[in-house]
Amino acid sequence: MRVAIIGVGCTEFGELWDKSFRSIFLNAGLSALEDAEIRGKEVEAIYIGNMSGGKFIDQEHIAALIVDHAGLAEFGIPAIRIENADASGGSAFRQAYMAVASGIHEIVIAAGIEKVTDANDPMEILSTAVDQEWEKFVGANLPAIYAIIARLHMHRFGTNEEDLAMIAVKNHRNAVHNPKAQFRKEINLEDVMRSSYIAEPLKVLDCAPLCDGASAVILANEEVAKKICDTPIYIEACTQASDYFSIQNRKDITTLQAVVIASKEAYKIAGVEAKNVDVAEVHDSFTISELLAYEDLGFAKKGEGKKLIREGETEIGGKIPVNTSGGLKACGHAVGATGIRQIVDLVIQLRGEAGKRQVNAERALALNLGGSGATAVVSILSR
Amino acid sequence: MVPRFWRKIKYRYEILTSFCENCGNHYYPQREICPKCRREGVLKEEKVCDYGKVLSYTVVNGRTIALVEFDNGAKMLAEVCGKVEIGKKVRKAFRKYGEDGDFGIIYYGTKFIPIEEQN
Ligand SMILES: [Zn+2]
């Protein structure tokens, strides 16, 4: 059964000190319901991406908590939390998609949420997404893993630190016009190059800042969608793949194999090729992850991702605009919410509601990664 | 944390790979099933030689962490004491990684030391 997105909602991303976990979820959920022009009790199930309620706010069993706070316990609506590190949002989206595609449900919510600023060291918590026994033990946190990948990519293909810096600059420029982004401010190449190293060769401004945020989308089958929505956006494919958990076991650490597998399958299901994608939101948790995405999604050949950024092809107005929202880098990375936030931004693009960020797009792609890429979720949407 | 560390001591103090007699692949860290052969795989623990070369590395929190590749193809993440570059030869060393406060256990493990090549 064909599945459509009929409503989207997103909170501001940032340090939402004055708002609680449950309150930011409600904000995103209600905006999505309002956008879909439904009341809430029509929803048959809720899928919530959340990496670590337990570590960030000492709260588990968050799906039921959220259902209650949203006033939906009244109707007994079932909910489940999906955890796949920072691919939790994308994974929740895929579960929701499959629930509707299978015909089991007609209308469901896919959401993502993370409240990171109540914790002392959010990056340490995100780093639980790498192997604690054989990566973290020796001192390799998540930035270190991506740094090791980046160093080899540079050595092997001639990618340089400026190429990565240009990705950060582009994403910040795009975020200026995104009212939900955490950093709506341009930065220049020098700012990035002068920022201090977090994990050589990655610098502070190569890393997406972790933040609070929630996002929600409402999915319905085509029949229902056509009845209640003027601008349904269709899900042409939503795939997921896994890779070896630790980079120690990957044959070639400069390729995120899960991205290659998930995207190939998604293109096949949607009946398209990489070149048919008009706009993309990719997982730039570090600038190197966006560069790898160019190659592993097939926008460029292996080793040639740098050409896309050097030639401006991934800018708004380029051949394949990437992260017109500002990406994780400038929107902020609200961990479990990010995968859904990407879908929200692509729906806004496909509906033609992106204002100054608007590109001409019929087909959009989202890539959401977990940790250092052991999980990849690829979604293809179309008008 | 004590049992979690204790049950891995053998593997932290030595570099042991899982060698699959069926396909000839080496895996680090050790595995309980060969991902290539699955049920047909026959895994044996094997000590690797004490030398490797740096495939890539980073400096994080003041420490150099490298992905070291051995001759048998297995790769291992570990700290390197000293300056490295890609391709640099390193040898194994027994070193302290950390400790649990003043009275807790001390975590030892394998690190590497760069070796200068003879001309
Ligand atoms: Zn085997």
Side-chain angles (χ1 to χ4, degrees):
Chain A
M1 207 169 293
R2 220 169 165 217
V3 183
I5 301 165
I6 60 168
V8 299
C10 197
T11 63
E12 275 179 48
F13 272 32
E15 294 177 337
L16 311 177
W17 299 109
D18 57 331
K19 295 194 182 75
S20 69
F21 177 85
R22 55 191 87 181
S23 148
I24 56 178
F25 183 88
L26 188 61
N27 175 318
L30 288 180
S31 349
L33 290 172
E34 201 173 313
D35 185 48
E37 294 179 23
I38 59 174
R39 294 183 53 80
K41 63 177 181 186
E42 308 87 332
V43 173
E44 294 169 19
I46 305 180
Y47 299 82
I48 301 163
N50 171 256
M51 172 171 169
S52 196
K55 278 193 174 287
F56 284 118
I57 58 160
D58 257 331
Q59 180 73 60
E60 306 288 15
H61 204 184
I62 62 139
L65 174 83
I66 280 167
V67 164
D68 178 346
H69 197 65
L72 298 173
E74 188 68 19
F75 312 109
I77 296 173
I80 185 170
R81 162 190 166 186
I82 315 282
E83 190 272 311
N84 256 343
D86 39 346
S88 299
S91 303
F93 181 69
R94 183 161 181 270
Q95 295 301 313
Y97 163 72
M98 292 193 298
V100 177
S102 70
I104 287 180
H105 292 304
E106 286 195 340
I107 301 182
V108 303
I109 295 181
I113 177 165
E114 210 76 56
K115 176 76 188 166
V116 313
T117 57
D118 284 353
N120 287 327
D121 193 344
M123 186 51 88
E124 277 303 290
I125 296 176
L126 181 61
S127 288
T128 60
V130 306
D131 190 332
Q132 298 303 289
E133 305 267 17
W134 303 107
E135 294 184 313
K136 194 65 206 321
F137 177 84
V138 301
N141 56 10
L142 192 61
I145 301 289
Y146 274 109
I148 288 170
I149 293 173
R151 170 103 54 196
L152 187 58
H153 199 282
M154 290 173 172
H155 179 79
R156 196 172 280 172
F157 303 114
T159 307
N160 60 43
E161 292 184 38
E162 283 200 4
D163 296 327
L164 299 185
M166 283 168 77
I167 290 174
V169 171
K170 164 183 74 72
N171 290 351
H172 271 265
R173 192 183 304 128
N174 291 350
V176 169
H177 303 295
N178 179 356
K180 301 292 171 71
Q182 184 177 12
F183 296 103
R184 302 182 59 189
K185 145 176 142 348
E186 288 200 32
I187 55 173
N188 60 40
L189 201 64
E190 224 170 67
D191 297 330
V192 187
M193 294 302 284
R194 273 203 316 240
S195 65
S196 51
Y197 283 113
I198 288 278
E200 283 182 34
L202 300 179
K203 296 174 275 295
V204 172
L205 290 178
D206 284 302
C207 308
L210 301 183
C211 71
D212 304 331
S215 42
V217 296
I218 299 180
L219 310 187
N221 70 35
E222 187 173 19
E223 201 179 316
V224 173
K226 278 185 171 153
K227 258 184 252 165
I228 61 177
C229 179
D230 298 329
T231 53
I233 299 300
Y234 291 98
I235 305 168
E236 301 293 350
C238 184
T239 60
Q240 185 186 324
S242 304
D243 194 358
Y244 284 98
F245 197 64
S246 163
I247 56 168
Q248 297 169 115
N249 292 121
R250 297 184 192 166
K251 203 158 112 197
D252 171 15
I253 65 166
T254 62
T255 295
L256 296 183
Q257 195 58 28
V259 176
V260 174
I261 295 171
S263 61
K264 273 191 179 158
E265 197 191 334
Y267 294 140
K268 198 171 129 195
I269 292 168
V272 298
E273 291 174 49
K275 64 170 196 266
N276 305 120
V277 175
D278 302 316
V279 62
E281 286 287 319
V282 310
H283 194 99
D284 58 323
S285 46
F286 300 90
T287 47
I288 181 67
S289 27
E290 176 164 330
L291 191 106
L292 294 175
Y294 295 168
E295 300 171 359
D296 299 335
L297 291 169
F299 300 159
K301 284 194 191 125
K302 186 45 64 185
E304 294 184 0
K306 58 182 183 289
K307 283 192 191 164
L308 290 187
I309 189 71
R310 284 178 192 173
E311 288 160 20
E313 297 291 13
T314 52
E315 305 265 357
I316 290 172
K319 200 168 64 189
I320 168 69
V322 173
N323 287 334
T324 60
S325 65
L328 284 62
K329 178 71 196 77
C331 286
H333 183 16
V335 194
T338 282
I340 301 288
R341 196 274 306 150
Q342 295 176 317
I343 302 292
V344 171
D345 277 307
L346 291 177
V347 167
I348 291 171
Q349 277 289 356
L350 291 170
R351 285 180 184 169
E353 296 170 352
K356 286 187 173 158
R357 293 174 287 138
Q358 188 64 49
V359 297
N360 184 15
E362 298 243 329
R363 188 173 293 104
L365 179 147
L367 167 65
N368 188 199
L369 296 178
S372 63
T375 300
V377 184
V378 171
S379 306
I380 297 179
L381 313 178
S382 75
R383 274 203 298 222
Chain B
M1 280 308 274
V2 175
R4 190 173 179 180
F5 180 74
W6 168 81
R7 66 175 172 259
K8 289 281 191 312
I9 278 183
K10 179 177 165 192
Y11 304 98
R12 298 227 186 271
Y13 293 4
E14 292 288 349
I15 310 172
L16 296 170
T17 56
S18 295
F19 170 67
C20 176
E21 290 184 337
N22 192 45
C23 68
N25 278 308
H26 286 266
Y27 302 101
Y28 181 88
Q30 75 286 348
R31 289 189 167 267
E32 297 186 39
I33 185 167
C34 173
K36 306 275 180 216
C37 313
R38 306 205 35 84
R39 244 186 308 177
E40 284 74 42
V42 183
L43 292 178
K44 291 273 156 67
E45 262 176 22
E46 201 173 274
K47 225 167 122 171
V48 304
C49 84
D50 295 345
Y51 299 88
K53 69 173 204 292
V54 172
L55 181 65
S56 186
Y57 69 98
T58 184
V59 179
V60 64
N61 298 324
R63 292 172 161 197
T64 301
I65 313 290
L67 186 61
V68 174
E69 194 167 28
F70 303 109
D71 282 345
N72 66 15
K75 296 191 277 286
M76 175 180 180
L77 272 168
E79 189 175 332
V80 177
C81 312
K83 250 181 97 60
V84 291
E85 56 202 49
I86 288 179
K88 186 90 180 164
K89 277 195 174 168
V90 291
R91 76 172 162 81
K92 176 192 154 191
F94 182 71
R95 291 286 186 277
K96 178 173 151 182
Y97 265 102
E99 59 194 17
D100 252 352
D102 288 345
F103 304 101
I105 59 167
I106 297 174
Y107 300 113
Y108 290 101
T110 299
K111 295 190 183 180
F112 289 89
I113 299 170
I115 44 178
E116 300 311 322
E117 297 195 52
Q118 321 279 315
N119 292 329

